[in-house]
Structure formats: C-alpha cells, structure tokens
C-alpha cells in the first residue's frame, strides 16, 4: 500500500512540468534526479511483478488433490520451492547491489565537484533571511549582499554554509540537494549551474514563524554578465541626488541605520541585510515580495503584516518620511 | 469511562492557553511625565501605583529585548548587565528609577554622563521590549518569563559539548 501511494504521488508529481527536482539545471541536481528516476523505475517494475505474482497466487485454479498425492508430491514441490526462492534472493541481491552502487556513484559525482570550485560564497542563515559574502583574497574585492546570489554558468561554485541562530537548510531544487546550516558547524557544498536562468532556493529546515518566507534567488548568467554584476556590487551606494537626500536623512535618523548597512553612507548596522544595492535584487524580504516600488512601500510601512514575527520592526513614520525613505531605498541600484 | 474521557478533554483544552504575540502596529502610550525618577520628594509621598507592563509578562517580548540589547550594542557599555563603562543593570542601585516607565524614559531621553538618547531611533515597541529585558536583568520579572543566560557566559562548555572523558579503568582517578 505504501509503495502504491508513493508510486502514485511520484506519477502525479511528474505531471507538474514545473516541479524543479525533475527539471535539473545543475550537475549535482542532474545526478540526483537520474538516481531518483532509476530508483523509481526499478521499484515500479519490481512492484508490478510482485503484484502480478500475488494476483496469480490468489486467482489460479487449484487442482483437487487427495492425501496420497500430497505426500508423494511433497519432495518434488520442496525442490521446486527452494529453486524459486534461491533465484528470487539472488535477483534481490543483484538489484540492491546495483542500486547501492548507483547511489554511491551519484554521491561521488556530487562530492567530486568540490575540487573544481572557482568562486567561494559564504552564506549565513538568519531568521528569516540569507546573508551573503563573496570571498576574495583582497578585502576590497569582497562583496556583501543578501537573499540573492549570482553565479557564472558552467563554473563550479563553492558555498560555505553557517548559521547565526537556529538550524536552517539551503535547497535549490533545480541546482542541488539540501545541505543544513548548523550553528557552530561549518558545512560546504559545490554546485554547477548549467543553464542561465533565475532559480528559487528555499530554507528546507523548519526554522520558526517565517520559515516559508525564507527564499533565496539564484541568478545564473554568462561570465561576462557576472563580472559586470560583481563590479557594480563592489561600488558603494551612489550619493543621493537632491530630492533623495531627505530619504537618506530619514534612513539615518529614524532607526533604519541601527540594523542596516548602506556602504558609502554612515549607516553601518550589521544585523540585518546589506541594502547598498537592494534595488538591483529581484525580491524583497527574502522572497516574500517582488522588488517593486509599491511593494517596497508596503514592506516598510508594515513589515509585521507581511512577515509576522520577522525582526524588521514597524516604525512610526509620517507619510512624507515614508515616501522619502521608500524612494531613496528604491533608488539603490 | 465517560468521566475519564471528559477529564482528558479538559486537560487537552488547558494546553490551548498560549502566550500571545502581538504583531500588530499600534502606538505605545508615552510613559507619563509624572513618573518620578527618585524616591526623594518634598511633603507627603505621592501615591503612584504603576501597573505592571504587559511587556514584562511576556516571555517573547523579554526575549526580543534580550536580542535587541545585543543588536543595539547596549553591551558596549553595560556589558551583560554587570556594568563596566555604564552602570550595572543587575544590582539594586537605580539612579533614575527602576520602574519600566523610568527605564523607557532613560532609553528615550538619555541621561547625564554618557547614556545617549535613543528617542526616535529605536521604535516605541522595541524600546519597551528593551526596558522589559533590563527589568529582567534586575530580577524584577517573573522567573518563567525571564530569558536564560547565554551559553557563552558559562564557566565551562555545556555538558553535551564537553570532550568525552577518558574511560575509567577501575583505578581511582
């Protein structure tokens, strides 16, 4: 029964063309989904054979036998049964060995990629957002951002995972399997994105009230585009133009700067996402909203209505201050 | 049998009472100006009965206050309550009063000789949460509400993080 349900669920899921696990765009996701399909088909076929054998056993016509026949046939029957069971055990052994090996090979393919990393990203999970740092040997080439990573297509990217509070887990179904972020422990994974595109990642370990809204955007792009993005992220925020100066003042004097950093200004809080280039990201509030001016205004005006319990407080700004700070933050490309 | 069932039902229902967390945006009432910061006053003692703030009764709010205490670098001067550059918060000396209203005012308005004013910077609700945590440091808050001590303040690592001891081989250690 369990197998039946599992098979049905898998069949139903394969009907969803958007189901990311079955639509891999990365090397490790590829080997994992191949493994999944192999297991699925092998198990389905075995299940079918077992069901047919069962049906045969239930519905076959039994010949009428007398007691004498039974005794005579016992030895012959015994030999037959032994042969059948031995063959079945041998087949089971072979199938299990085969599956074990394929699982080992898939695991090795994922682990082997660690040697080929060209880019190292450190991701720290917090309730409920991702802090991102692109490591570099030169301190002035380190990029700080949040909730969105860009990676060059076809290159192995090493991700170092840490947690700042509770256990989280990073999962980008199209690109790689899950890996936990554990406080006090250093985890790593390496992945290759094989196709340009925007992928959604998600926290896969229940981590509190807003676990569902802890998303990560992965942008896979050609090397040239990636380099351009990297250069733009290294720049401090542009000095605000005349009318945006008011917004910066609100940001600095009404408490935003206690938690957030905008490089190039005196806002230097380090406990919340870096906002230096926030308007260049695709999403807001770790995937809860799209990066659009009206949604930004909604988020700033009442974060607790959108992500109840999130660490971003409601600040009592008057409409003028609200407009000013929204247009300033929205201008940080 | 029926009574056992009913009893079980009642016990299960009792679990429904859970601490409320308030995520609505609501303006806090200002602490009244009449809150006195000192027990010294002329004439007869004024009769002021301050109600216990709801923030002091909520473990969630006090725990949030503890987080903000680190985030906003109160530790920079007051350390973990023991004081250093700023006065200690876990002793019984309260220069400007120990009620939550006093503490909110101290955070918002600042005090002479070093305490900066955070009025307008720290949002209202967060100020009250911080003040509730400061009250917890001072031991004014119920024990089931007050947050526990940080792990890193313990003299030795937690038991589950200790290195495994050498096997005992029968001799006296």
């Amino acid at each position: 029964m369990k197998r039946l349900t599992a098979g049905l669920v898998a069949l139903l899921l394969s009907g969803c063309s958007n189901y990311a696990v079955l639509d891999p765009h990365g090397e490790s996701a590829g080997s994992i989904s191949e493994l999944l399909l192999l297991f699925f088909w092998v198990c389905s076929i075995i299940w079918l054979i077992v069901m047919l054998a069962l049906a045969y056993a239930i519905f076959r016509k039994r010949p009428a036998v007398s007691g004498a026949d039974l005794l005579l046939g016992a030895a012959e029957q015994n030999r037959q049964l032994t042969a059948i069971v031995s063959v079945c055990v041998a087949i089971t052994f072979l199938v299990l060995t085969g599956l074990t090996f394929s699982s080992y090979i898939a695991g090795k393919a994922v682990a082997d990629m660690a040697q080929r990393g060209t880019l190292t990203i450190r991701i720290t999970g917090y309730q409920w957002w991702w802090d991102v740092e692109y490591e570099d040997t030169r301190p002035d080439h380190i990029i700080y951002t949040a909730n969105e990573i860009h990676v060059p297509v076809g290159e192995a990217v090493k991700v170092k995972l840490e947690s700042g509070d509770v256990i989280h887990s990073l999962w980008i179904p199209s690109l790689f399997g899950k890996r936990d972020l554990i406080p006090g422990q250093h985890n790593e994974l390496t992945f290759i994105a094989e196709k340009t595109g925007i992928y959604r990642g998600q926290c896969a370990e229940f981590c509190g009230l807003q676990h569902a809204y802890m998303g990560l955007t992965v942008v896979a792009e050609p090397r040239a585009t990636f380099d351009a993005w990297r250069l733009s992220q290294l720049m401090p925020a542009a000095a605000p133009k005349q009318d945006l100066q008011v917004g910066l003042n609100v940001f600095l004097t009404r408490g935003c700067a206690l938690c957030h950093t905008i490089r190039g200004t005196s806002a230097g809080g380090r406990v919340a996402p870096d906002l230096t280039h926030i308007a260049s990201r695709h999403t807001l509030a770790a995937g809860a909203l799209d990066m659009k001016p009206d949604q930004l205004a909604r988020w700033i005006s009442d974060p607790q209505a959108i992500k109840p319990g999130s660490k971003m407080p409601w600040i009592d700004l008057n409409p003028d201050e609200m407009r000013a700070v929204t247009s300033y933050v929205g201008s940080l490309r | 049998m029926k009574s056992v069932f009913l009893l079980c039902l009642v016990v299960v229902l009792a679990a429904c009472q859970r601490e409320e967390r308030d995520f609505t945006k609501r303006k806090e009432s200002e602490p009244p100006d009449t809150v006195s910061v000192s027990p010294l006053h002329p004439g007869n003692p004024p009769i002021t009965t301050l109600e216990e703030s709801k923030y002091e009764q909520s473990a969630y709010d006090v725990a949030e206050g503890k987080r903000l205490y680190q985030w906003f670098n109160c530790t920079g001067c007051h350390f973990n309550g023991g004081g250093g550059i700023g006065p200690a918060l876990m002793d019984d000396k309260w220069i400007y009063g120990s009620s939550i209203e006093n503490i909110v005012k101290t955070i918002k308005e600042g005090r002479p000789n070093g305490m900066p004013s955070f009025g307008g910077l720290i949002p209202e609700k967060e100020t009250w949460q911080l003040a509730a945590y400061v009250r917890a440091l001072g031991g004014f808050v119920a024990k089931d509400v007050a947050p526990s001590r940080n792990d890193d303040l313990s003299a030795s690592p937690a038991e589950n993080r200790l290195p495994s001891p050498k096997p005992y081989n029968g001799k006296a250690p």
Side-chain angles (χ1 to χ4, degrees):
Chain A
M1 192 61 213
K2 228 181 218 171
R3 272 192 180 167
L4 177 70
T5 333
L8 274 179
V9 167
L11 270 179
L12 283 175
L13 283 178
S14 63
C16 321
S17 55
N18 283 335
Y19 195 64
V21 172
L22 299 175
D23 182 28
H25 293 302
E27 231 179 82
S28 32
S31 33
I32 292 170
S33 75
E34 278 162 21
L35 191 68
L36 177 75
L37 285 178
L38 179 74
F39 268 70
F40 174 71
W41 285 117
V42 169
C43 293
S44 309
I45 291 166
I46 292 175
W47 177 78
L48 209 67
I49 293 172
V50 171
M51 284 300 129
L52 284 177
L54 187 66
Y56 171 71
I58 292 171
F59 295 116
R60 73 174 178 149
K61 277 219 175 78
R62 285 171 182 76
V65 283
S66 64
D69 284 351
L70 266 179
L71 276 178
L72 276 176
E76 173 64 19
Q77 225 171 14
N78 231 348
R79 217 172 308 124
Q80 238 179 33
L81 274 179
T82 314
I84 292 176
V85 169
S86 314
V87 168
C88 286
V89 167
I91 292 175
T92 311
F93 175 76
L94 283 178
V95 168
L96 284 182
T97 313
L99 289 183
T100 308
F101 260 104
S102 56
S103 160
Y104 166 75
I105 287 166
K108 191 169 174 348
V110 171
D112 276 352
M113 278 194 310
Q115 318 292 324
R116 317 197 328 239
T118 54
L119 183 72
T120 307
I121 308 176
R122 179 189 295 276
I123 297 184
T124 312
Y126 292 98
Q127 281 177 328
W128 292 277
W129 60 283
W130 310 90
D131 193 24
V132 176
E133 180 188 330
Y134 281 69
E135 289 193 344
D136 201 290
T137 43
R138 278 184 59 177
D140 58 335
H141 281 192
I142 297 175
I143 301 176
Y144 299 96
T145 176
N147 298 330
E148 181 169 315
I149 59 173
H150 286 234
V151 294
V153 161
E155 287 180 42
V157 178
K158 188 169 164 189
V159 183
K160 293 183 175 175
L161 298 169
E162 268 154 36
S163 169
D165 37 42
V166 298
I167 300 180
H168 303 279
S169 185
L170 179 61
W171 187 29
I172 299 161
S174 306
L175 299 179
F176 53 81
K178 299 168 190 175
R179 179 104 352 140
D180 280 5
L181 291 77
I182 300 170
Q185 187 177 323
H186 186 91
N187 280 355
E188 281 185 2
L189 69 87
T190 306
F191 73 96
I192 298 174
E194 284 171 332
K195 222 168 152 188
T196 54
I198 297 170
Y199 305 104
R200 165 142 177 142
Q202 176 66 34
C203 179
E205 178 74 51
F206 182 69
C207 58
L209 270 178
Q210 292 305 324
H211 163 64
Y213 279 137
M214 183 166 168
L216 178 79
T217 314
V218 181
V219 181
E221 53 198 9
R223 186 75 207 189
T225 325
F226 171 76
D227 283 337
W229 173 82
R230 188 170 189 157
L231 277 181
S232 74
Q233 293 289 313
L234 280 172
M235 305 291 283
K241 293 194 199 91
Q242 211 79 57
D243 46 335
L244 292 175
Q245 183 66 44
V246 189
L248 175 59
N249 287 345
V250 173
F251 193 94
L252 293 177
T253 55
R254 292 308 310 274
C256 312
L258 287 178
C259 297
H260 290 287
T261 294
I262 297 178
R263 274 174 281 129
T265 71
S266 54
R270 299 186 56 185
V271 292
D274 187 304
L275 301 183
T276 312
H277 298 288
I278 184 175
S280 71
R281 297 179 203 150
H282 289 81
T283 62
L284 201 59
L289 296 171
D290 292 332
M291 180 48 84
K292 285 180 188 143
D294 59 322
Q295 307 224 1
L296 180 64
R298 259 182 72 202
W299 173 242
I300 298 176
S301 64
D302 194 0
Q304 297 297 321
I306 293 159
K307 278 175 88 167
S310 91
K311 311 298 181 206
M312 167 110 167
W314 166 63
I315 298 180
D316 188 17
L317 300 172
N318 67 37
D320 285 336
E321 290 174 318
M322 182 63 71
R323 219 166 300 138
V325 78
T326 307
S327 50
Y328 172 66
V329 172
S331 77
L332 295 169
R333 298 218 125 260
Chain B
M1 192 59 214
K2 223 178 216 177
S3 58
V4 172
F5 180 71
L6 273 176
L7 192 72
C8 283
L9 207 70
V10 169
V11 170
V12 165
L13 280 178
C16 292
Q17 198 196 12
R18 197 173 163 234
E19 189 180 274
E20 296 271 326
R21 297 181 181 185
D22 185 9
F23 297 133
T24 51
K25 57 175 182 184
R26 198 158 35 78
K27 269 201 158 144
E28 274 324 309
S29 51
E30 287 281 310
D33 281 333
T34 50
V35 173
S36 88
V37 294
S38 154
L40 298 173
H41 47 81
N44 289 324
I47 305 156
T48 47
T49 47
L50 292 170
E51 279 179 42
E52 204 185 22
S53 162
K54 66 179 169 111
Y55 291 103
E56 289 174 73
Q57 297 164 359
S58 151
Y60 175 72
D61 285 319
V62 178
E64 288 293 284
K66 179 176 179 175
R67 173 175 63 78
L68 297 168
Y69 186 86
Q70 300 282 337
W71 276 23
F72 295 158
N73 202 26
C74 307
T75 40
C77 294
H78 297 286
F79 298 3
N80 288 298
I85 299 163
L89 303 175
M90 57 209 303
D91 61 4
D92 59 351
K93 294 189 188 69
W94 294 87
I95 307 171
Y96 293 102
S98 65
S99 78
I100 192 160
E101 284 84 358
N102 287 138
I103 299 168
V104 166
K105 279 194 161 261
T106 301
I107 295 172
K108 287 174 77 149
E109 294 167 6
R111 297 296 183 199
N113 299 325
M115 176 77 189
S117 147
F118 291 95
L121 274 173
I122 302 179
E124 288 288 329
K125 187 176 176 181
E126 278 65 24
T127 312
W128 282 87
Q129 290 175 335
L130 262 172
Y133 175 61
V134 172
R135 293 268 295 168
L137 282 174
F140 293 108
V141 163
K143 230 179 163 183
D144 57 343
V145 170
S148 55
R149 200 145 79 131
N150 285 350
D151 279 353
D152 56 356
L153 290 178
S154 302
S156 67
E159 207 164 319
N160 55 352
R161 296 201 171 190
L162 281 175
S164 44
K166 286 206 179 97
Y168 181 64
N169 61 3
K171 288 176 209 151

